[in-house]
Amino acid sequence: MSEPQVGEELVRLASADNFRDVAGDGHPTTDGGRVRRGVLFRSNELQLTDADAHALRDLGVTAVYDLRGDQEVEAHPDVPVPGATWRHLPVGGIPMDRVAALESGEDSLAAMLDVYRGFVEHPAARSAFGELLTAMATTDGPQLFHCTAGKDRTGWAAAVVLGLAGVADDVILADYLLTNTFSTATREKYLGQIAEHLGPEKVAVYEAVMVADQAYLRTAWDAVAAAYGDLRTYVVDGLGVAPDDVGALVRRLRD
């Protein structure tokens, strides 16, 4: 496949609405460069049609990293992408007992902020994200990572990668918030199910769980600053990614 041009759409998947290139349309970096497209992709769960699975094959995807928990994977196994290996790197989200106990929008907001702090503070999450970045730095060919909605675990991984590549925070934040645009239909479907099964009054309770919010991403950034000082130190010391692998990943991502 020829290298995509800035502004050119690579592919949209009918069966995975939050699938997109981590580089966007070629995000600018603070030193005048751009992030290379066609290297890393992000998505929600891969409940793919045959056509979409083959579209990923045609993009050359060689590896799929699944950040979902065991129960999520068991409930909705990924459809295999021809030619790609699958690797499970589970990162915890909101515990199901806490989800069941949510009573207000404030409860949901607090739960989401805890999730994003956990990406930085919880050893198991740091281990999984570290394995992800190391694998992406050392595996040939285009690669894809995803969770259930492609919003939180995937959103944080994409934010980290873009930050390492030198993309400004405001650009990273705007890219992160695109989930709310791409996943409108999926979000409305699930909120409709909540209204039907739990009652219309529960929609406001669960809405915060189903959107990308700048407060969530800023909470994780603040946790990085508090514990590590800067993103690279978080990646090297917190996630355990070797400096050489950080360098290799950045070189792959930069035009």
Side-chain angles (χ1 to χ4, degrees):
M1 184 179 69
S2 61
E3 186 162 323
Q5 301 301 307
V6 172
E8 177 188 350
E9 185 85 80
L10 279 178
V11 68
R12 296 296 304 154
L13 301 184
S15 55
D17 57 9
N18 206 12
F19 169 82
R20 47 197 165 106
D21 196 312
V22 170
D25 63 358
H27 290 316
T29 59
T30 56
D31 60 358
R34 284 194 175 271
V35 182
R36 183 176 293 123
R37 303 182 69 212
V39 175
L40 296 179
F41 299 97
R42 53 177 292 179
S43 186
N44 49 326
E45 61 185 9
L46 300 182
Q47 301 302 294
L48 301 173
T49 62
D50 286 345
D52 284 348
H54 284 84
L56 293 182
R57 178 203 62 190
D58 293 344
L59 286 175
V61 172
T62 61
V64 171
Y65 306 105
D66 192 337
L67 305 180
R68 298 177 298 166
D70 292 338
Q71 290 182 328
E72 294 169 285
V73 172
E74 183 177 347
H76 298 285
D78 278 353
V79 171
V81 175
T85 59
W86 181 87
R87 184 170 176 183
H88 190 204
L89 299 173
V91 178
I94 304 176
M96 289 310 298
D97 57 349
R98 188 169 183 182
V99 171
L102 295 175
E103 294 291 342
S104 67
E106 290 76 13
D107 288 347
S108 296
L109 174 61
M112 292 304 301
L113 297 181
D114 284 347
V115 166
Y116 277 74
R117 275 189 288 267
F119 294 158
V120 179
E121 296 174 355
H122 291 173
R126 292 201 306 271
S127 176
F129 284 123
E131 288 184 60
L132 173 67
L133 266 63
T134 298
M136 293 192 300
T138 56
T139 301
D140 292 332
Q143 300 165 69
L144 182 154
F145 56 93
H146 78 93
C147 54
T148 293
K151 176 175 73 74
D152 303 314
R153 293 162 286 190
T154 297
W156 177 239
V160 170
V161 165
L162 291 174
L164 289 174
V167 177
D169 285 355
D170 62 333
V171 177
I172 295 172
L173 178 59
D175 181 89
Y176 165 79
L177 293 173
L178 283 175
T179 283
N180 295 334
T181 300
F182 284 116
S183 296
T184 298
T186 296
R187 184 170 62 254
E188 289 180 350
K189 178 183 74 173
Y190 286 121
L191 289 175
Q193 292 174 356
I194 287 169
E196 179 182 355
H197 297 291
L198 300 179
E201 70 280 0
K202 288 293 188 180
V203 170
V205 174
Y206 287 95
E207 206 160 17
V209 176
M210 297 189 181
V211 297
D213 190 306
Q214 65 173 324
Y216 306 162
L217 185 57
R218 292 191 188 282
T219 292
W221 279 338
D222 288 346
V224 166
Y228 299 99
D230 60 66
L231 184 68
R232 183 182 174 88
T233 304
Y234 159 70
V235 169
V236 173
D237 293 348
L239 305 187
V241 182
D244 285 350
D245 289 337
V246 175
L249 181 59
V250 171
R251 286 190 297 273
R252 293 194 66 199
L253 287 166
R254 293 286 303 259
D255 274 338

